[in-house]
Amino acid sequence: DIQMTQSPPSLSASLGDKVTITCQASQNINKYIAWYQQKPGKAPRLLIRYTSTLESGTPSRFSGSGSGRDYSFSISNVESEDIASYYCLQYDNLWTFGGGTKLELK
Amino acid sequence: QVQLKETGPDLVQLTQTLSITCTVSGFSLTTYNVHWVRQPPGKGLEWMGAMWNGGGTDYNSAFKSRLSISRDTSKSQVFLKMNSLQTDDTAKYFCARQLGGAFAYWGQGTLVTVSS
């Protein structure tokens, strides 16, 4: 089974900051990674798939990159509505979520 | 539009069997794959298994033989059944529709508490 190591587990940012979250897979996942945003009590929302493809409605301040085993997700100019938890998901071989990152306001 | 809704018990007794139904609308189960994902309170997301559009299934090995996923295409329903429940199976259970490999559409989830 593929393992996804996501870091950091939590992140504190000021409005307008740029933040970056990383996920490392236990093996090459061929760019088959998606990123989700989840707010308390809600279902996850798909933001990005196939490493860097933004879903319809995802603001351009969100971005993703990476290859092989190493991937990153960034939010430039953090806004108050971005305060949430974020998860990566690999879908190269079955499906595995990363452990999550909770983004808080500093 | 695409919709998914989970229905199931709020409370299940220790060692008993959990049954949850995902009723979908706006798409056909014979066209799209539907997955089950769970999330214990305050914790992360865990993929449980998939019902393929062709009728096959895949499971997370962590659930070994405890988990069974089936469907009734005539009713647009996907079923999750998991036995030998323990307290750490307390979680919100989501069904989700796949799009391009990822889970693009989600139900609201149903919270199940395992009680001793």
Side-chain angles (χ1 to χ4, degrees), chain B residues 14-28:
Chain B
L14 198 64
T15 74
Q16 296 303 300
T17 296
L18 171 65
S19 295
I20 304 175
T21 298
C22 174
T23 303
V24 309
S25 59
F27 68 96
S28 171

Side-chain angles (χ1 to χ4, degrees), chain B:
Chain B
Q1 72 274 30
V2 174
Q3 291 186 322
L4 302 95
K5 185 173 182 180
E6 307 87 349
T7 50
D10 295 329
L11 195 66
V12 178
Q13 295 301 310
L14 198 64
T15 74
Q16 296 303 300
T17 296
L18 171 65
S19 295
I20 304 175
T21 298
C22 174
T23 303
V24 309
S25 59
F27 68 96
S28 171
L29 293 178
T30 59
T31 303
Y32 291 95
N33 305 326
V34 171
H35 297 253
W36 288 97
V37 175
R38 75 176 186 178
Q39 184 172 38
K43 296 190 177 179
L45 300 163
E46 181 175 34
W47 176 73
M48 299 182 71
M51 169 58 72
W52 294 101
N53 58 1
T57 53
D58 259 315
Y59 299 105
N60 183 333
S61 60
F63 297 98
K64 298 181 182 178
S65 57
R66 289 205 297 148
L67 179 63
S68 174
I69 297 173
S70 59
R71 70 180 184 179
D72 184 335
T73 56
S74 67
K75 294 183 178 179
S76 294
Q77 292 179 327
V78 180
F79 308 106
L80 175 150
K81 188 169 286 191
M82 189 163 69
N83 58 32
S84 304
L85 286 193
Q86 301 299 312
T87 54
D88 59 4
D89 291 314
T90 293
K92 182 173 277 192
Y93 289 78
F94 296 95
C95 56
R97 197 199 90 174
Q98 186 177 329
L99 180 68
F103 310 142
Y105 301 92
W106 295 67
Q108 62 194 20
T110 184
L111 179 62
V112 176
T113 300
V114 179
S115 172
S116 56

